[in-house]
Amino acid sequence: MQQRLPCCLSANAQGEQTGTSPSTSLPPCPANPCAGSCPSLPCLFPGLWHWERGWLGWISALPQAVECPVHFDPWREAWQRQPVLCPSWERALQHPLLPFQGGSVQVRMRLLLWAACSRLLPRGAGLCCPKPAVTAMVTASHHSLRPPALLATSSSAASAPAGFLQALVPRSRSPSCWSSQFNVPPSALLVARPVGVCSMMRLPLQESAEGLDVAFVGVPLDTGTSNRPGARYNGSTGAAPFDSLRVADIGDVNVNLYNLPDSCRLIRESYQEIVASGCVPLTLGGDHTITYPILQALAAKHGPLGLVHVDAHTDTGDAALGERIYHGSPFRRCVEEGLLDRGRVVQIGIRGSSYDPDPHKYSREQGFRVVPVEECWMKSLEPLMREVRAQMGDKPMYISFDIDGLDPAYAPGTGTPEIAGLTPAQALEIIRGCKGLNIVGCDLVEVAPMYDVSGNTALLGANLLFEMLCVLPGVKTL
């Protein structure tokens, strides 16, 4: 490109050369059979016909010349920054050898730039790059791959409510990602699903929760489990969470796999920072030990919390092998420290064998409502959730969902499976039944995908987290 552009610009009537300035360092154009002669327009501007040959050198300079924000629109960035990359670009567009002037060539170049820049996504758009340091929140752009001319053809009527995503398909309630000012996952209609960094819901990655309303947080700790480890490897309501809240994946909390109490300290300190930023954490565990330090951080800000706890086990044990911190004891520790509003705690789906003849005694003594799985069999849980909503009131509450609350026919990938559990439909009824409550955090724990070769447990867990996101305060509905 650096070789071709000065050549073609020197062909004007005065013989003036108006190529790129010496301060603009661009890679040379690939070899071209018409080098040196420039007899025709295709030789002068090979990219207008074969962008993959003539323009790759120029395009490859974009990642170095463009300082990519968290939300990167490659077409917009390339088009806006072309004078920086090539100061003579506007003059080149008006060159007398070009048969089409002004807007027409710009339209051609927009499409070319869009196509070429889409190849930069893995490096420039934050989809396949290391986590960027967050210096500024960019609210106007997102992972969009269509140029504005094409976007206009896909948006719905202007009478649609402002601030909502517009449907891609007629009569579809599925939102598109053209009008949101929040972080919107890239559409699979435009970006192949395997492309990019494996973030939660393909959301942008951030180093911290600063500037976010909601953050997905990973806590890869399973050293508190008493049976099979592996949870550290976790990976229709009309709700529009990505058009209502700023959501991102902020990565994993650091833990000490050789010291469980120290891991709890690290988790608590990390969540104190998250909570201080005003962000609601949605946590991917990890075993159920992690809920204890998370509630420590949340209760320090909000006071004693209500709790909707879905599990096969009450997790109110006292000690195991002499240790008081493990995945069977988090809620006893929380009671002892006054982290829970005991009159607003509901435990749903409880079942399984026990070392104690009355394993639910402690929970009942504390005032918890214990709902054994037998009370859930073969019925809708909507009536139960109406009672739960009345019990929780408008005070802060937390949702803790152990995947073993579900029957292992649906979620075998967990460390402590128990037969005859809840169904996925009942899980949705529980989570959706929490809509309207003052939710200050949620977690999904004990997912251990290596015990499920089908991958269904991880898929189910991810969908349950999405459902939790959809019922958070402030989420609008279409």
Side-chain angles (χ1 to χ4, degrees), residues 185 197-205 215-218 234-235 242 247-251 282-284 444 458-459 461-466 469:
V197 159
C198 187
S199 65
M200 185 61 183
M201 298 184 187
R202 306 179 76 195
L203 288 163
L205 294 171
F216 284 104
V217 192
N234 179 45
F242 301 118
V247 190
D249 183 335
I250 62 172
L282 297 183
T283 304
L284 294 76
L444 183 86
L459 176 64
N463 277 275
L464 293 179
L465 274 166
F466 177 70
L469 172 64

Side-chain angles (χ1 to χ4, degrees), residues 95-156:
H95 195 275
L97 292 179
L98 292 178
F100 30 79
Q101 300 292 328
S104 58
V105 72
Q106 292 183 19
V107 170
R108 277 177 173 262
M109 285 309 304
R110 286 179 181 179
L111 298 179
L112 288 168
L113 288 173
W114 163 61
C117 291
S118 67
R119 296 183 57 167
L120 297 177
L121 275 175
R123 182 166 46 173
L127 294 178
C128 284
C129 62
K131 295 181 182 179
V134 178
T135 56
M137 294 303 299
V138 181
T139 60
S141 60
H142 40 74
H143 300 311
S144 170
L145 291 184
R146 294 187 183 181
L150 297 180
L151 302 187
T153 65
S154 65
S155 59
S156 58

Side-chain angles (χ1 to χ4, degrees), residues 36 105 129 183 191 203 230 239 280 300 307 340 348 378 443:
V105 72
C129 62
N183 297 339
V191 182
L203 288 163
V280 175
L307 175 69
L340 296 176
I348 305 173
M378 304 302 201
D443 66 48

Side-chain angles (χ1 to χ4, degrees), residues 271-358:
Y271 276 78
Q272 286 171 343
E273 296 179 5
I274 294 171
V275 172
S277 71
C279 182
V280 175
L282 297 183
T283 304
L284 294 76
D287 66 54
H288 225 150
T289 309
I290 70 173
T291 304
Y292 167 47
I294 292 172
L295 291 179
Q296 284 179 317
L298 289 170
K301 177 177 180 179
H302 300 287
L305 301 169
L307 175 69
V308 171
H309 172 209
V310 182
D311 204 325
H313 317 95
T314 60
D315 291 351
T316 54
D318 189 16
L321 302 178
E323 297 296 329
R324 290 169 55 82
I325 298 177
Y326 74 111
H327 76 153
S329 68
F331 299 115
R332 184 182 283 249
R333 302 286 87 85
C334 289
V335 168
E336 293 170 349
E337 297 183 19
L339 309 180
L340 296 176
D341 183 350
R342 292 179 290 179
R344 295 193 303 124
V345 176
V346 180
Q347 298 181 306
I348 305 173
I350 307 302
R351 65 190 187 280
S353 58
S354 172
Y355 302 112
D356 193 306
D358 190 359

